[in-house]
Amino acid sequence: MLRSNSVGTVAVFFFVLSVGSTMAQTKPRARDLGVPFDGTPGPLNAITDVTGVEVGHTTLISGEDSQKAAVVRTGVTAVLPRGKDSNDPVFAGWFTENGNGEMTGTTWVEESGFLEGPVMITNTHSVGTVRDAVIAWRVKRRGPDKEGYSWSLPIVAETWDGYLNDINGFHVRPEDTFSALESARAGPVAEGNVGGGTGMICNEFKGGIGTASRVLDSKYGGYTVGVLVQCNFGQRDQLRIAGVPVGREIPGRKVWDDDVGSIIVVVATDAPLIPTQLKRVAKRVTLGLGRDGSYSGNGSGDIFIAFSTANSGAASSHGLRQLNMLPNDQINPIFIATVQATEEAVINALVAAKTMIGINGHSVEALPHDRLREVLQKYNRLLK
Amino acid sequence: MLRSNSVGTVAVFFFVLSVGSTMAQTKPRARDLGVPFDGTPGPLNAITDVTGVEVGHTTLISGEDSQKAAVVRTGVTAVLPRGKDSNDPVFAGWFTENGNGEMTGTTWVEESGFLEGPVMITNTHSVGTVRDAVIAWRVKRRGPDKEGYSWSLPIVAETWDGYLNDINGFHVRPEDTFSALESARAGPVAEGNVGGGTGMICNEFKGGIGTASRVLDSKYGGYTVGVLVQCNFGQRDQLRIAGVPVGREIPGRKVWDDDVGSIIVVVATDAPLIPTQLKRVAKRVTLGLGRDGSYSGNGSGDIFIAFSTANSGAASSHGLRQLNMLPNDQINPIFIATVQATEEAVINALVAAKTMIGINGHSVEALPHDRLREVLQKYNRLLK
Amino acid sequence: MLRSNSVGTVAVFFFVLSVGSTMAQTKPRARDLGVPFDGTPGPLNAITDVTGVEVGHTTLISGEDSQKAAVVRTGVTAVLPRGKDSNDPVFAGWFTENGNGEMTGTTWVEESGFLEGPVMITNTHSVGTVRDAVIAWRVKRRGPDKEGYSWSLPIVAETWDGYLNDINGFHVRPEDTFSALESARAGPVAEGNVGGGTGMICNEFKGGIGTASRVLDSKYGGYTVGVLVQCNFGQRDQLRIAGVPVGREIPGRKVWDDDVGSIIVVVATDAPLIPTQLKRVAKRVTLGLGRDGSYSGNGSGDIFIAFSTANSGAASSHGLRQLNMLPNDQINPIFIATVQATEEAVINALVAAKTMIGINGHSVEALPHDRLREVLQKYNRLLK
Amino acid sequence: MLRSNSVGTVAVFFFVLSVGSTMAQTKPRARDLGVPFDGTPGPLNAITDVTGVEVGHTTLISGEDSQKAAVVRTGVTAVLPRGKDSNDPVFAGWFTENGNGEMTGTTWVEESGFLEGPVMITNTHSVGTVRDAVIAWRVKRRGPDKEGYSWSLPIVAETWDGYLNDINGFHVRPEDTFSALESARAGPVAEGNVGGGTGMICNEFKGGIGTASRVLDSKYGGYTVGVLVQCNFGQRDQLRIAGVPVGREIPGRKVWDDDVGSIIVVVATDAPLIPTQLKRVAKRVTLGLGRDGSYSGNGSGDIFIAFSTANSGAASSHGLRQLNMLPNDQINPIFIATVQATEEAVINALVAAKTMIGINGHSVEALPHDRLREVLQKYNRLLK
């Protein structure tokens, strides 16, 4: 990957298309810095700890800041609930804490209880391109159904990266969607300035993609909950990390006067939840963001979707479907895991993201790791 | 049953507590008059065609119209999804087309996907009494749970009968709730001026309780859909019966200038639907009311709840639950049945209700059966 | 406009881009045929009776049925609440009766209460292209805001035209969106096989775009309510016109076995309604569709949006906004008008649409006007 | 006020009906103990800082723990948006984060955008009694409307106090509702074991009523936001105060194994917000609860309502209503204030509540103030 740190040099044009699966999680992650979190993460501490989930990123970085028309800092992230080779929908539910954003396809998720394809995340002005490209990809891969028809209502969400990216240049193309989908893999998930998160800003630090997971105790079924965020919300002084007012302790240059960002959150689990329950899970994301200090500003598109990889075949149209359902009385550990993994995924995005210079010479600094540790130490919250 | 047609006589106080199960459906019903409806009804053409469903009415009629304080024209209707001896919740969903009304307990239905007890219907000012009485009845019948606790969030809906009933006299007592519950039975359901529907008005004719059902063809699973309405909405000139503008053809004295009534609709089915799907079913009620000419006025509390008696044991808190689900792709016959049975249940209420004189000498006339037949004949829609 | 009736001839490729404003409403319309409707329409009996509203169509028809790859029967329709030269958002509300469809941008409508741009309607697979093109059009026309930013969340809805149109060919291009927007005009609105409605099917007759309006009596404020539909729903035997079972009386070749279509409905009014009230208006659309016989099948995307052109300047961010609001107690005439205009707009679409041959040699017949009159006569409902 | 600390003595029966207005806020409050909170509170740091808002409590404490049938630890709290002498509805919006609870009347709030009377809070099994009593109180106070009718849909919410209170004894009577309404006053608000909060438990400490407020800077309009909570949710180890893991630092005897409680939150403001915006405000409550550590368990009824005292006369049915509206672009300070005041009101409830012994000898300890200060000190968060 490439960083636009060559300010003042002659313009150099290039495209880097980086594929998430080839990149391990950036080190260190928030835990590595000694940030204390509750609960037990899965092996990767990533959404891909949920078996079957695949993630792919297309990262588009090109141009110098002095070349406004071509300063590209954007991309596409794909989350495939059962991997790219499955046509088997998953049960899903969604929720919006503040709707200044787009997530296409949610009307059908709400109605049917199913998520029928991938969840895509990109920038605000490229949602349409990505949406139609998902249809094209599906048509190409599996052909029409037996009656000769094929239609779909893809899920594509966005946050706005116009502070760093030439968003009005519409640089995301259908091919970028295909590559995010095709490159999707299980395993570690690249975080920070990658995929749809490439040009994002979080609490006036550099933001982007973050992920985390929790594994439940076997007495609660041993299920996994994974969260992936595209983090672009918040003002500096809101930011709390592990309850510590980190934002106030590390003041910086104002990026904006208001909360104009957004956050898209994808929650995956292998617990057998039905759509009603998955909506409940999606609503818990707000509580995790509350821990990080969010007030969900007017300009924020805080939209969340949760799905379950259990109950494969539930969407088949033939005969009665046999389902498993976790009783509501046993759902609390899933709720807790969702809150905890959301809280951590945002911080992971902040820790992984690197300082970026973008369009108009705009620069957004990364959260300084050493200062974070100092502040945690000041409040007796540093783990190691 | 009793009618207050002794205007001007000395006040006579009496209470009649009639129990629905002892009364067969009033004859004739709409079909008997030659009104054409689509679809195939069940044996009773009633919500009780869905196996397990029991209905009970407490009908309170007392007092002369000259005795304002004691002119009682009200009651309570109970619909028990699995009968009064079951503690087994059913999957449910609800919807409101216009919310100028109350249905308690819906927040938990929405959240949990379950309806945990009966659906009660009464007048607007007695919802509270009935609600707490349902809790008392449950506490008395089954005792607290193993930890010594017991709580519940009863479903109680209402429409306003203050034109005929001394609604501010709060005449419904806890005992009336108990009797509606205890008297609930399978079998024919009394319609018209009974139970919660006693003092209700529909399209400025006398309204009240109505019911209907549909049985699906065996190729669609042979499921039954039953509907019960407490019908209190609409202005005369809106009324359409089988598409015929009956309201305009049978003008009458105005009862009110606006649509100030309401309609509560309960939909039952034995099809194995999950909560997401039952909300969809509840939304189809609106389409049935549209056929009858409703515009769902500002003053109307048009609130609908749908439940499925399939998947017994789904609410058990132990282990994973095994469920059956009808695929969304097979749900259309259920939707059609809901629309059709709703359309008919309203007309059944109108046909069954008898002219009533109530408080302040107010009188509301019944839909005249002979005129209805004449109007249907005029538009070539009379079946026989 | 062009019709593909040259079966068997050598393939001829052409594009016709027809502009709605240059075409008066097709004659006859449903009223001209003697179909009885309630209420008083505006001068145009169209959504454009609401002052300020402009409608534009781009109609794409090309190719022979024997040339599968190029049989284009689709388009784009634009409804601009205050015309194409305004940047002033309108209050809005939306509702979905069945969500098997897409209307992008609704999350922000729900959150903010505002509709910030046009409502676009196209085919299912072109939503994305149209969406991003609306952003591009806005960026081009008005430039970024004072901070140098510009973003938006366009409203783009769809129904599926793949039975007649080569939907997987993705034939709608950004330019087609621009032309629909640029050509938008007040005045008569072309109906039937135009714009987004070009390849649509309604109750297994040829469907498409329809419109109607109502003007309230001056004692109710004299407001106008206009409706525009893109009509693609229903099975033949459901269809009721003015309460008459027209669908059963005019049986025909089955197009499909199930209700796989959709209907998008746009309601405009100049009554000063706030967002809460506009959602209520949107919910009344269902009642109008109920009158036409809809049961809102599982495959149907029945999504409605309502807006008010009153309260210009309400979205300005400076100072307190002064608003007018019609009291809820006076809203019933608006509700009635919405039901009536919806009922009629669907029938207008059916009456205006012409028989079309499309991809794979598929053919869908128009509603035969003479047969419609005969059936209305049979049921004593023909007006003249 | 009285505490049942006379375990083992002969049963003594007494009722204390304490009136909130005669009791100043309990001292100390959370701030007095040095807990750091963000933002600027109003003079009372209470919901009554919003001009016009009145609060009344009826507190019912009687019986010994050895006398199960008569161990009463419950009550009623009334929040009157414009005081008890006003019939003028307020704009309102509501939201539920987890719906295992009841708030009657919300269907009409959602539909109409208005809250037409007080917000009442009591125990789960007394909602009905309180609801009908509110109607009786309104009928008695103002009589029917000009047509002779009167109806209403009161707002009554609840949390479950059966661990300490004989909830199945149904000890709340209509008179207790009247007294809460009649005793309502502006000024300081009693907190802790009062009114509906008398027998409540929060994070396994004694909970109950809490309140807080924020005043916006004059550049943001100088508006006030006040919050009142009836706090009955959470498990000990969740509890965070000012970001500090207080619950884990002060472990104690387990009261229950799961999050079986609830929290009702009322948000008042004098900012001129319309219903759409007030729903947004209500949704911010979740973020405040997130800061306190809530995960909103399955058993929790977390239901919130927000209203604005601006725009008096908005509900009048005559003529067009003139409204003021704060632009969405200026709403962030209201959101922030809501989050902050919610966070603090919960902690105020915990700090004010006193240890209580109730039914079955159950005892719940108060949050120990000295230990709280020690823990804050440990994490360098103690203010003084």
Side-chain angles (χ1 to χ4, degrees):
Chain A
M1 193 168 31
L2 172 148
R3 222 147 307 106
S4 300
N5 50 6
S6 49
V7 182
T9 70
V10 176
V12 181
F13 276 63
F14 37 56
F15 264 81
V16 173
L17 190 147
S18 72
V19 169
S21 60
T22 63
M23 295 167 27
Q25 273 127 334
T26 315
K27 291 289 181 179
R29 304 180 75 197
R31 286 175 179 261
D32 301 323
L33 297 178
V35 182
F37 294 108
D38 301 331
T40 305
L44 299 167
N45 197 13
I47 195 171
T48 43
D49 283 323
V50 178
T51 304
V53 175
E54 294 180 0
V55 176
H57 298 302
T58 300
T59 303
L60 302 174
I61 297 178
S62 71
E64 293 295 322
D65 58 284
S66 55
Q67 303 290 326
K68 293 188 184 185
V71 180
V72 181
R73 306 283 186 272
T74 195
V76 181
T77 291
V79 180
L80 294 112
R82 299 193 196 278
K84 60 189 160 303
D85 296 320
S86 171
N87 289 328
D88 185 13
V90 288
F91 276 140
W94 79 295
F95 176 69
T96 174
E97 173 66 15
N98 193 65
N100 204 334
E102 179 66 79
M103 184 183 278
T104 67
T106 48
T107 302
W108 184 226
V109 170
E110 180 81 18
E111 185 77 40
S112 69
F114 286 104
L115 166 62
E116 299 188 350
V119 178
M120 310 298 293
I121 323 178
T122 185
N123 77 62
T124 309
H125 289 193
S126 297
V127 164
T129 291
V130 173
R131 178 199 181 273
D132 291 357
V134 171
I135 297 179
W137 182 73
R138 296 181 74 183
V139 168
K140 188 172 54 177
R141 279 179 71 91
R142 62 177 188 183
D145 60 23
K146 69 180 191 302
E147 286 86 17
Y149 309 130
S150 174
W151 92 86
S152 59
L153 300 163
I155 305 287
V156 187
E158 53 70 47
T159 63
W160 187 84
D161 57 16
Y163 187 79
L164 290 170
N165 175 48
D166 175 30
I167 192 168
N168 288 335
F170 299 93
H171 296 285
V172 175
R173 297 163 306 159
E175 295 70 24
D176 302 319
T177 301
F178 303 154
S179 70
L181 289 162
E182 295 291 345
S183 69
R185 296 287 185 278
V189 175
E191 297 178 307
N193 304 357
V194 296
T198 301
M200 301 302 162
I201 301 168
C202 186
N203 295 105
E204 301 180 77
F205 289 114
K206 185 67 187 68
I209 300 293
T211 190
S213 72
R214 291 295 181 273
V215 177
L216 271 53
D217 192 283
S218 61
K219 72 178 171 183
Y220 300 127
Y223 301 113
T224 299
V225 175
V227 168
L228 181 142
V229 305
Q230 179 165 310
C231 179
N232 193 44
F233 76 100
Q235 291 174 274
R236 179 70 58 93
D237 67 355
Q238 300 169 227
L239 177 61
R240 296 182 179 196
I241 297 182
V244 172
V246 170
R248 291 185 191 163
E249 295 284 345
I250 314 179
R253 187 178 52 78
K254 292 294 290 179
V255 176
W256 31 57
D257 295 331
D258 226 344
D259 185 355
V260 299
S262 298
I263 183 164
I264 300 298
V265 182
V266 183
V267 184
T269 185
D270 54 2
L273 303 181
I274 65 172
T276 323
Q277 297 174 314
L278 288 159
K279 179 182 274 288
R280 303 179 76 189
V281 170
K283 291 176 89 169
R284 266 63 196 176
V285 167
T286 309
L287 293 158
L289 299 181
R291 293 183 175 193
D292 291 330
S294 170
Y295 65 84
S296 203
N298 174 64
S300 203
D302 298 353
I303 309 180
F304 322 135
I305 189 164
F307 62 81
S308 164
T309 59
N311 286 311
S312 66
S316 166
S317 61
H318 300 294
L320 289 188
R321 301 289 89 209
Q322 271 77 46
L323 309 177
N324 289 316
M325 180 183 74
L326 190 72
N328 283 329
D329 286 343
Q330 297 179 33
I331 207 170
N332 277 349
I334 303 287
F335 287 173
I336 295 170
T338 303
V339 175
Q340 292 173 347
T342 300
E343 180 187 12
E344 183 169 357
V346 170
I347 309 308
N348 278 339
L350 283 165
V351 166
K354 300 289 190 294
T355 296
M356 179 177 274
I357 301 173
I359 195 167
N360 298 318
H362 288 160
S363 166
V364 180
E365 63 186 334
L367 172 67
H369 296 182
D370 51 349
R371 285 289 296 128
L372 171 59
R373 286 175 56 86
E374 287 167 14
V375 174
L376 291 172
Q377 182 66 62
K378 173 178 173 183
Y379 290 99
N380 196 16
R381 291 287 273 160
L382 187 66
L383 271 193
K384 49 189 172 184
Chain B
M1 197 169 24
L2 172 150
R3 220 149 308 104
S4 301
N5 50 7
S6 50
V7 180
T9 70
V10 176
V12 182
F13 276 61
F14 35 57
F15 264 82
V16 174
L17 190 147
S18 73
V19 169
S21 60
T22 65
M23 295 168 28
Q25 273 128 334
T26 316
K27 292 290 183 177
R29 304 180 77 196
R31 283 173 182 264
D32 302 323
L33 297 177
V35 182
F37 294 107
D38 301 331
T40 305
L44 300 166
N45 197 13
I47 195 172
T48 43
D49 283 323
V50 178
T51 303
V53 175
E54 295 180 358
V55 176
H57 297 304
T58 299
T59 304
L60 302 173
I61 297 178
S62 71
E64 295 295 320
D65 57 285
S66 55
Q67 302 290 327
K68 294 188 183 182
V71 181
V72 181
R73 305 283 187 273
T74 196
V76 181
T77 291
V79 180
L80 294 112
R82 298 193 196 278
K84 58 188 161 301
D85 296 319
S86 172
N87 290 327
D88 185 12
V90 289
F91 276 140
W94 79 295
F95 176 69
T96 175
E97 174 65 16
N98 194 63
N100 204 332
E102 179 66 79
M103 184 183 278
T104 67
T106 46
T107 302
W108 184 227
V109 171
E110 181 81 17
E111 184 77 40
S112 69
F114 286 105
L115 166 62
E116 299 188 349
V119 178
M120 311 298 293
I121 324 179
T122 186
N123 77 62
T124 309
H125 289 195
S126 296
V127 165
T129 291
V130 173
R131 180 199 180 272
D132 290 357
V134 170
I135 297 179
W137 182 73
R138 296 181 75 184
V139 168
K140 189 171 57 177
R141 278 178 71 92
R142 62 176 187 182
D145 60 23
K146 68 180 194 301
E147 287 86 17
Y149 310 130
S150 175
W151 92 86
S152 59
L153 299 164
I155 306 287
V156 187
E158 53 69 47
T159 63
W160 187 84
D161 57 15
Y163 187 79
L164 291 169
N165 176 48
D166 175 30
I167 192 169
N168 288 334
F170 299 93
H171 296 286
V172 176
R173 295 164 307 161
E175 293 72 25
D176 301 321
T177 301
F178 302 154
S179 70
L181 289 162
E182 295 291 344
S183 69
R185 297 287 184 279
V189 175
E191 297 178 308
N193 305 356
V194 296
T198 300
M200 301 301 161
I201 301 168
C202 186
N203 294 107
E204 301 182 79
F205 290 113
K206 186 65 187 69
I209 299 293
T211 191
S213 72
R214 291 296 180 273
V215 177
L216 271 53
D217 192 281
S218 62
K219 72 178 170 184
Y220 300 127
Y223 301 114
T224 298
V225 175
V227 168
L228 181 141
V229 305
Q230 180 164 308
C231 178
N232 194 44
F233 76 99
Q235 290 173 276
R236 180 69 58 92
D237 68 354
Q238 301 167 228
L239 178 63
R240 295 182 179 195
I241 297 183
V244 171
V246 170
R248 290 182 193 168
E249 294 283 345
I250 315 179
R253 185 178 52 76
K254 292 294 290 177
V255 176
W256 33 58
D257 296 330
D258 225 343
D259 185 355
V260 299
S262 296
I263 184 165
I264 300 298
V265 182
V266 184
V267 184
T269 186
D270 54 2
L273 304 180
I274 64 171
T276 322
Q277 296 174 315
L278 288 159
K279 178 180 276 288
R280 305 178 75 189
V281 170
K283 291 176 89 169
R284 266 64 196 176
V285 168
T286 308
L287 292 158
L289 300 181
R291 292 182 176 195
D292 291 330
S294 171
Y295 66 84
S296 203
N298 174 64
S300 205
D302 299 352
I303 309 180
F304 323 135
I305 189 165
F307 61 81
S308 164
T309 59
N311 286 312
S312 66
S316 166
S317 60
H318 301 293
L320 288 188
R321 300 292 85 208
Q322 270 77 46
L323 310 177
N324 288 315
M325 180 182 74
L326 190 72
N328 284 329
D329 285 343
Q330 296 179 34
I331 207 171
N332 278 349
I334 303 287
F335 288 171
I336 296 170
T338 303
V339 175
Q340 292 173 346
T342 299
E343 180 187 13
E344 183 170 358
V346 170
I347 310 307
N348 278 340
L350 283 165
V351 166
K354 301 289 189 297
T355 296
M356 177 176 274
I357 301 174
I359 195 167
N360 298 318
H362 288 161
S363 167
V364 180
E365 63 186 333
L367 173 68
H369 295 183
D370 51 349
R371 286 287 298 126
L372 171 59
R373 287 175 55 86
E374 288 167 16
V375 174
L376 291 172
Q377 182 67 62
K378 174 178 173 183
Y379 290 99
N380 197 16
R381 290 288 273 161
L382 187 66
L383 271 193
K384 50 188 174 184
Chain C
M1 195 167 29
L2 173 149
R3 220 149 309 104
S4 300
N5 50 7
S6 48
V7 181
T9 70
V10 176
V12 181
F13 275 64
F14 35 58
F15 264 81
V16 174
L17 188 146
S18 73
V19 169
S21 61
T22 63
M23 296 168 27
Q25 273 128 335
T26 316
K27 291 291 183 179
R29 304 180 76 197
R31 285 174 180 262
D32 302 323
L33 297 178
V35 181
F37 293 109
D38 301 331
T40 306
L44 299 166
N45 197 15
I47 195 171
T48 43
D49 283 322
V50 179
T51 304
V53 175
E54 294 180 1
V55 176
H57 297 302
T58 299
T59 303
L60 302 174
I61 297 178
S62 71
E64 295 294 321
D65 57 286
S66 55
Q67 303 290 327
K68 293 187 183 185
V71 181
V72 180
R73 305 283 186 274
T74 196
V76 181
T77 290
V79 180
L80 294 112
R82 299 192 197 277
K84 60 190 158 302
D85 297 319
S86 171
N87 289 327
D88 186 12
V90 289
F91 276 141
W94 80 295
F95 177 69
T96 175
E97 174 66 16
N98 195 64
N100 204 333
E102 179 67 78
M103 184 183 278
T104 66
T106 47
T107 302
W108 183 227
V109 170
E110 180 82 17
E111 184 77 41
S112 69
F114 286 104
L115 165 62
E116 300 188 349
V119 178
M120 310 299 293
I121 324 179
T122 186
N123 77 62
T124 309
H125 289 193
S126 296
V127 164
T129 291
V130 174
R131 178 200 181 273
D132 291 357
V134 171
I135 297 178
W137 182 74
R138 296 180 73 183
V139 167
K140 187 172 57 177
R141 278 180 71 91
R142 62 177 188 183
D145 60 24
K146 68 179 192 302
E147 287 87 17
Y149 310 131
S150 175
W151 93 85
S152 60
L153 300 163
I155 305 287
V156 187
E158 53 69 47
T159 62
W160 187 84
D161 57 14
Y163 187 79
L164 291 169
N165 177 48
D166 175 29
I167 193 168
N168 289 335
F170 299 93
H171 296 285
V172 176
R173 296 163 307 160
E175 294 71 25
D176 301 319
T177 301
F178 302 154
S179 70
L181 289 162
E182 294 292 343
S183 69
R185 296 286 185 279
V189 175
E191 297 178 306
N193 304 357
V194 296
T198 300
M200 301 301 161
I201 301 168
C202 186
N203 295 106
E204 301 182 78
F205 290 114
K206 185 67 187 68
I209 300 293
T211 189
S213 72
R214 291 295 181 273
V215 176
L216 271 53
D217 192 282
S218 62
K219 73 177 171 184
Y220 299 126
Y223 301 113
T224 298
V225 175
V227 169
L228 181 142
V229 304
Q230 179 164 311
C231 179
N232 194 44
F233 77 99
Q235 291 174 275
R236 180 68 60 91
D237 67 355
Q238 299 168 228
L239 178 62
R240 295 181 179 196
I241 297 182
V244 171
V246 170
R248 290 182 192 166
E249 295 284 346
I250 315 179
R253 187 178 50 78
K254 292 297 289 178
V255 177
W256 31 59
D257 296 330
D258 225 343
D259 186 354
V260 299
S262 297
I263 183 165
I264 300 298
V265 182
V266 184
V267 184
T269 185
D270 54 2
L273 303 180
I274 64 172
T276 322
Q277 296 174 315
L278 287 158
K279 178 180 274 289
R280 302 178 77 188
V281 170
K283 290 175 90 169
R284 267 63 196 177
V285 168
T286 309
L287 292 159
L289 299 181
R291 292 182 175 193
D292 291 331
S294 171
Y295 65 83
S296 204
N298 174 64
S300 203
D302 298 353
I303 309 181
F304 322 135
I305 189 164
F307 62 81
S308 164
T309 59
N311 287 312
S312 66
S316 166
S317 60
H318 301 293
L320 289 188
R321 300 291 86 209
Q322 270 77 47
L323 310 177
N324 288 316
M325 180 183 73
L326 190 72
N328 283 330
D329 286 343
Q330 296 179 34
I331 207 171
N332 277 350
I334 303 288
F335 288 172
I336 295 170
T338 303
V339 175
Q340 292 173 347
T342 300
E343 181 187 11
E344 183 169 357
V346 169
I347 310 306
N348 278 339
L350 283 165
V351 166
K354 301 289 189 296
T355 296
M356 179 176 274
I357 301 173
I359 195 167
N360 298 318
H362 288 159
S363 166
V364 180
E365 63 187 333
L367 173 67
H369 295 183
D370 52 347
R371 285 288 297 126
L372 171 59
R373 288 174 55 86
E374 288 167 16
V375 173
L376 291 172
Q377 182 67 62
K378 172 178 174 184
Y379 290 99
N380 197 16
R381 291 286 274 159
L382 187 66
L383 270 193
K384 48 190 174 184
Chain D
M1 196 168 29
L2 174 149
R3 221 148 308 104
S4 300
N5 50 7
S6 49
V7 182
T9 70
V10 175
V12 182
F13 277 62
F14 36 55
F15 264 83
V16 174
L17 189 147
S18 72
V19 168
S21 60
T22 64
M23 295 169 28
Q25 273 129 334
T26 316
K27 292 290 181 180
R29 304 179 76 197
R31 285 175 181 264
D32 302 323
L33 297 178
V35 182
F37 293 108
D38 301 332
T40 305
L44 299 167
N45 197 13
I47 194 172
T48 44
D49 283 323
V50 178
T51 304
V53 175
E54 294 180 1
V55 175
H57 298 302
T58 299
T59 303
L60 301 174
I61 298 178
S62 71
E64 294 295 322
D65 57 285
S66 55
Q67 302 291 326
K68 293 189 182 181
V71 181
V72 180
R73 306 283 186 273
T74 195
V76 181
T77 291
V79 180
L80 294 113
R82 297 191 197 279
K84 59 189 161 303
D85 297 319
S86 171
N87 289 328
D88 186 12
V90 289
F91 276 140
W94 80 295
F95 177 69
T96 176
E97 174 65 16
N98 194 63
N100 203 333
E102 179 66 79
M103 184 183 278
T104 67
T106 46
T107 302
W108 184 228
V109 170
E110 180 81 17
E111 185 76 40
S112 69
F114 286 105
L115 166 62
E116 299 188 350
V119 178
M120 310 297 294
I121 324 178
T122 186
N123 76 62
T124 309
H125 289 193
S126 296
V127 164
T129 291
V130 172
R131 179 198 181 273
D132 291 358
V134 170
I135 297 179
W137 182 74
R138 297 181 73 183
V139 168
K140 189 172 57 177
R141 278 178 71 92
R142 62 176 189 181
D145 61 24
K146 69 179 193 300
E147 287 85 16
Y149 309 130
S150 175
W151 94 85
S152 59
L153 299 164
I155 306 287
V156 187
E158 52 70 47
T159 62
W160 187 83
D161 57 14
Y163 187 79
L164 292 169
N165 176 49
D166 174 30
I167 193 168
N168 288 336
F170 299 93
H171 295 286
V172 175
R173 295 163 310 160
E175 294 72 24
D176 301 320
T177 301
F178 302 154
S179 69
L181 288 162
E182 295 290 344
S183 69
R185 298 284 185 279
V189 174
E191 297 179 307
N193 304 357
V194 296
T198 301
M200 300 302 161
I201 302 167
C202 186
N203 294 106
E204 301 181 79
F205 290 114
K206 185 66 188 66
I209 300 293
T211 190
S213 72
R214 291 296 181 272
V215 177
L216 271 53
D217 192 281
S218 61
K219 73 178 171 183
Y220 299 127
Y223 302 113
T224 298
V225 175
V227 168
L228 181 141
V229 304
Q230 179 165 309
C231 178
N232 194 44
F233 76 99
Q235 290 174 276
R236 180 69 58 92
D237 67 355
Q238 300 168 228
L239 178 61
R240 296 183 178 194
I241 297 183
V244 171
V246 170
R248 290 183 192 167
E249 294 284 345
I250 315 180
R253 187 179 50 78
K254 291 295 291 177
V255 176
W256 31 58
D257 297 329
D258 225 343
D259 185 355
V260 299
S262 295
I263 183 165
I264 300 297
V265 182
V266 183
V267 184
T269 185
D270 54 3
L273 304 180
I274 64 172
T276 321
Q277 296 174 315
L278 288 158
K279 179 181 275 289
R280 304 178 76 189
V281 170
K283 290 176 89 169
R284 266 63 196 177
V285 168
T286 309
L287 292 158
L289 299 181
R291 292 182 176 195
D292 291 330
S294 171
Y295 65 83
S296 204
N298 174 63
S300 204
D302 299 353
I303 309 181
F304 323 135
I305 188 165
F307 62 80
S308 164
T309 59
N311 288 311
S312 66
S316 166
S317 60
H318 301 293
L320 288 189
R321 301 290 85 208
Q322 271 76 47
L323 309 177
N324 288 317
M325 180 183 74
L326 190 73
N328 283 331
D329 285 342
Q330 297 179 33
I331 207 170
N332 277 350
I334 303 287
F335 287 172
I336 296 170
T338 302
V339 175
Q340 291 173 347
T342 299
E343 179 187 13
E344 183 170 358
V346 169
I347 310 307
N348 278 339
L350 283 166
V351 166
K354 301 290 190 294
T355 296
M356 179 177 274
I357 301 174
I359 195 166
N360 297 319
H362 288 160
S363 167
V364 180
E365 64 186 333
L367 173 67
H369 296 184
D370 51 349
R371 286 287 297 127
L372 171 60
R373 287 175 55 86
E374 288 168 14
V375 173
L376 291 173
Q377 182 66 63
K378 173 177 173 184
Y379 290 98
N380 196 16
R381 291 287 273 159
L382 187 67
L383 272 193
K384 50 188 172 185

